[in-house]
Amino acid sequence: MPAAIGMTSGSTRAAPSRLSAATARLAGAAVGAPAYLARRLLLELGVALLYARHALRDGWPFASDPLRLLSWLNELRVLVWLERVRRIDVLDAGGEAAIAADPSLMFARPLSHLQQGLRELHRLLPTWLRGRAASPAMGGGSSVPVLKELVLVGGGHSHVHVLRMWSMRPLPGVRLTLVTRDVETPYSGMLPGHVAGSYTRKECHLDLVKLAAFAGARLVHAEATGLDLLRKRVQLGGGRPALRYDVLSINIGCTPRLFGGEDGFESAKRAPVAGVTPVKPIDGFGRRWDVLLARTVAAADDGSDAEPVEVAIVGGGGGGVELALAVRA
């Protein structure tokens, strides 16, 4: 009985404390609401003044043509409206000072105004261009116009990860394009297993065509031959036109030079003939290894007194040791 009394007494004391905490939160919200409303009113007033200032200062060249003036004012309205929603996002994130101290605050909450702003821009596009901006080839099937071009050159591991993450969380208004010389990319972690005979070539390769389609990205099957940094263009081989980009990422791996001044790819092409093959580029190592292995077996079968074949691996890192064990297997 005393224990029951003690429990009742304890819960009676706890109730006022929980009530006090809830009251304090409501009071804090009530105090914060007027301050937020005041800042929001100042924000709206600043946006209105911004529109008026640009309309009066920059709109006078179109005064003689009312239709052009109306079109220009409409474009100005959209741009100022986008600036307005950006300021609202900053205000909701805690203000300029808070974001300057911790930029992650800006992205800790969904930017709900961004999608609306992009749709507003989409309505300004000509009818024929809206269809292109909404097509899967131009923007992943989104009704949002393409505002930025993100181009990935090469099908390396990093870009495979980007495609995977993009499929789960694409950015509105950004078109993703993958430029790759080969539509299949090997997973280097399975390469020793392939050499040892544990995996087939198909099992240790990723299909970039399917991965790009899954991510809603464009796939350009071509070799990147150069960059025009001033005009922001990726130059492509095979007589294809250059590809424009706003942001460019390069993930093409490395290739060693085996024969004097030759570049790495030329070295890799004639490496099996010389009895040596680089591991890089990995995408062609399987074929080069098969050629080298066939020549080695053929040389061993020439006569019964043939000397044992010696295989040397240059590089004693983790990958080199694992590859040596796979060759032995």
Side-chain angles (χ1 to χ4, degrees):
M1 188 67 179
I5 293 175
M7 289 173 62
T8 305
S9 176
S11 59
T12 304
R13 287 192 300 268
S17 64
R18 288 195 296 268
L19 182 61
S20 300
T23 304
R25 284 195 298 270
L26 290 174
V31 171
Y36 176 84
L37 289 176
R39 289 195 295 268
R40 181 63 181 272
L41 287 174
L42 290 175
L43 184 150
E44 300 292 351
L45 179 60
V47 169
L49 292 175
L50 179 66
Y51 180 84
R53 177 164 61 88
H54 282 284
L56 294 175
R57 188 186 67 182
D58 304 325
W60 63 267
F62 308 103
S64 59
D65 190 341
L67 292 179
R68 287 189 63 191
L69 178 61
L70 288 176
S71 176
W72 182 84
L73 288 175
N74 188 42
E75 293 178 4
L76 177 63
R77 177 188 63 84
V78 173
L79 292 175
V80 172
W81 187 85
L82 287 175
E83 172 62 17
R84 170 184 172 271
V85 296
R86 185 198 70 82
R87 294 184 183 185
I88 291 175
D89 286 333
V90 171
L91 179 62
D92 291 343
E96 297 281 1
I99 293 175
D102 184 6
S104 64
L105 291 174
M106 191 67 178
F107 305 99
R109 52 187 297 141
L111 302 178
S112 57
H113 305 91
L114 178 60
Q115 192 80 6
Q116 302 172 14
L118 293 173
R119 287 199 184 101
E120 186 69 22
L121 281 177
H122 186 252
R123 282 194 286 269
L124 287 177
L125 294 175
T127 305
W128 65 272
L129 191 54
R130 292 183 193 179
R132 293 187 65 197
S135 66
M138 295 294 290
S142 171
S143 61
V144 176
V146 175
L147 301 179
K148 292 292 183 181
E149 297 281 0
L150 171 57
V151 176
L152 310 178
V153 175
H157 294 175
S158 298
H159 286 173
V160 168
H161 184 66
V162 169
L163 290 169
R164 175 177 171 271
M165 298 301 294
W166 194 273
S167 66
M168 296 185 287
R169 192 173 182 181
L171 293 177
V174 179
R175 177 168 58 184
L176 181 64
T177 302
L178 175 65
V179 179
T180 177
R181 187 184 69 248
D182 301 295
V183 294
E184 289 185 335
T185 185
Y187 176 57
S188 59
M190 298 176 70
L191 183 65
H194 172 59
V195 171
S198 301
Y199 306 116
T200 64
R201 184 181 183 277
K202 184 177 181 180
E203 288 174 332
C204 58
H205 279 71
L206 298 173
D207 190 334
L208 294 178
V209 176
K210 293 181 179 178
L211 184 59
F214 179 69
R218 289 193 307 173
L219 177 68
V220 178
H221 186 197
E223 183 176 6
T225 59
L227 295 177
D228 185 343
L229 299 179
L230 293 178
R231 299 176 59 240
K232 289 193 171 183
R233 298 289 190 274
V234 178
Q235 298 168 352
L236 304 176
R240 304 190 63 162
L243 187 66
R244 188 184 72 83
Y245 67 87
D246 293 296
V247 178
L248 178 68
S249 176
I250 301 176
N251 182 210
I252 57 176
C254 61
T255 303
R257 297 177 184 268
L258 298 181
F259 306 109
E262 285 186 357
D263 64 48
F265 288 109
E266 289 300 322
S267 297
K269 288 179 183 178
R270 71 184 185 98
V273 179
V276 60
T277 178
V279 176
K280 301 292 184 71
I282 293 178
D283 56 343
F285 176 77
R287 292 186 294 271
R288 297 193 302 273
W289 169 254
D290 291 340
V291 172
L292 187 63
L293 191 61
R295 290 183 67 252
T296 303
V297 172
D301 292 343
D302 282 345
S304 57
D305 57 346
E307 297 182 358
V309 176
E310 295 185 1
V311 178
I313 296 177
V314 179
V321 172
E322 189 175 7
L323 191 58
L325 295 175
V327 170
R328 185 178 181 84

